[in-house]
């Protein structure tokens, strides 16, 4: 029985991954690197310490200045969000209201830092829906390691198998699976391959389709 739903944020609750897909290559270009679209997509939900290592390996450069590149990418993201606003993903409010009525607990488990997570959720009115807000900065290893989901389950006082993780990206799915959670995927920028599909409890087109798991 599912007692809690743990939501990834970027690309799952809010429509921001499309901007990360643009901003990573722009930030890399600013520092003299050419990043392909496929490489940008590989960065989705990738946390510490994996992201710096991944970039250095992709560009075969041990001296790549990840903190500087990431800081510039964050500046670009803020510019895009200030210009375009933060859009809530289709079906998010409907599902959150449904879960609240069913008295199923709700948490956020995101790779984004706590300051931006809380600011974004408050800005779009979703903050009050959640019992816990968990940022990857609160654990040693970010996604795709299981730490964030293991920690989120512990904060809720629930076993991982009692929790459904909702993700949009392969790195997020791997994190939740390794933690032992049930996993729903609502793909955003890419569809799951056959191997990833085997790890999923359900794959849906929109968030509100997940209501079927509780009927």
């Amino acid at each position: 029985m599912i007692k809690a739903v743990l939501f990834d944020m970027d690309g799952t609750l809010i429509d921001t991954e499309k901007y990360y897909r643009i901003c990573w290559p722009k930030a890399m270009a600013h520092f003299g690197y050419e990043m392909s679209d496929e490489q940008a997509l590989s960065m989705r939900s990738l946390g510490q310490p994996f992201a710096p290592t991944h970039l250095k390996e992709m560009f075969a450069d041990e001296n790549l200045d990840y903190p500087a590149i990431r800081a510039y990418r964050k500046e670009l993201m803020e510019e895009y969000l200030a210009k375009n606003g933060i859009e809530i993903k289709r079906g998010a409010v409907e599902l959150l209201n449904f879960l609240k009525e069913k008295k199923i607990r709700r948490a956020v488990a995101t790779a984004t830092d706590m300051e931006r997570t809380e600011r974004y959720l408050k800005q779009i009115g979703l903050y009050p829906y959640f019992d816990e807000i968990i940022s990857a900065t609160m654990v040693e290893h970010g996604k795709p390691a299981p730490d964030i989901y293991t920690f989120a389950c512990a904060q809720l006082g629930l076993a991982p198998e009692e929790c459904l993780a909702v993700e949009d990206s392969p790195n997020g799915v791997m994190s939740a699976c390794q933690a032992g959670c049930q996993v729903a995927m609502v793909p955003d920028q890419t569809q799951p391959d056959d191997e990833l599909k085997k790890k999923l409890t359900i794959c849906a087109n929109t968030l509100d389709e997940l209501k079927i798991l509780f009927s």
Side-chain angles (χ1 to χ4, degrees):
M1 179 181 176
I2 298 171
K3 296 182 179 178
V5 179
L6 316 176
F7 292 88
D8 170 57
M9 186 176 72
D10 291 282
T12 300
L13 288 171
I14 59 177
D15 193 13
T16 46
E17 284 291 0
K18 61 188 178 185
Y19 299 130
Y20 282 106
R21 191 173 182 174
I22 296 169
C23 291
W24 268 118
K26 283 192 171 185
M28 295 300 295
H30 182 75
F31 286 86
Y33 302 90
E34 185 176 347
M35 176 182 258
S36 69
D37 185 54
E38 183 180 0
Q39 289 172 325
L41 286 169
S42 74
M43 297 298 294
R44 286 175 297 165
S45 291
L46 196 64
Q48 295 277 11
F50 308 106
T53 301
H54 183 57
L55 275 182
K56 289 176 181 180
E57 289 177 349
M58 278 199 301
F59 292 94
D61 185 357
E62 268 298 316
N63 297 314
L64 182 146
D65 191 348
Y66 176 78
I69 295 170
R70 181 173 179 269
Y72 187 67
R73 188 225 69 203
K74 286 170 70 174
E75 288 180 21
L76 293 174
M77 277 291 295
E78 291 295 328
E79 290 175 7
Y80 271 95
L81 295 180
K83 179 181 179 181
N84 300 299
I86 300 173
E87 300 170 67
I88 302 174
K89 293 289 282 188
R90 187 156 59 100
V93 174
E94 291 83 354
L95 178 59
L96 288 167
N97 278 323
F98 173 82
L99 296 173
K100 188 174 182 179
E101 290 168 8
K102 291 281 188 179
K103 299 189 182 336
I104 295 167
R105 300 175 75 188
R106 305 156 307 280
V108 171
T110 178
T112 300
D113 63 75
M114 186 62 81
E115 187 277 325
R116 286 186 296 149
T117 297
E118 291 188 338
R119 174 159 52 89
Y120 294 169
L121 292 175
K122 288 175 180 176
Q123 184 175 331
I124 59 177
L126 293 186
Y127 187 82
Y129 283 98
F130 298 102
D131 301 294
E132 295 285 345
I133 307 290
I134 309 298
S135 165
T137 56
M138 301 165 72
V139 297
E140 184 176 358
H141 300 102
K143 300 174 185 178
D147 300 31
I148 188 167
Y149 281 108
T150 301
F151 183 69
C153 293
Q155 290 296 103
L156 292 167
L158 296 171
E161 58 268 22
E162 296 176 308
C163 299
L164 176 73
V166 184
E167 282 281 354
D168 71 290
S169 69
N171 285 321
V173 168
M174 293 302 300
S175 174
C177 285
Q178 291 187 77
C181 296
Q182 299 185 55
V183 187
M185 187 177 187
V186 183
D188 180 35
Q189 299 297 300
T190 58
Q191 293 296 316
D193 60 23
D194 290 339
E195 282 302 308
L196 199 65
K197 286 179 181 178
K198 294 175 184 177
K199 302 178 184 299
L200 302 174
T201 304
I202 187 173
C203 187
N205 293 311
T206 63
L207 286 167
D208 57 352
E209 289 181 16
L210 301 183
K211 293 176 187 175
I212 193 172
L213 295 174
F214 305 92
S215 59

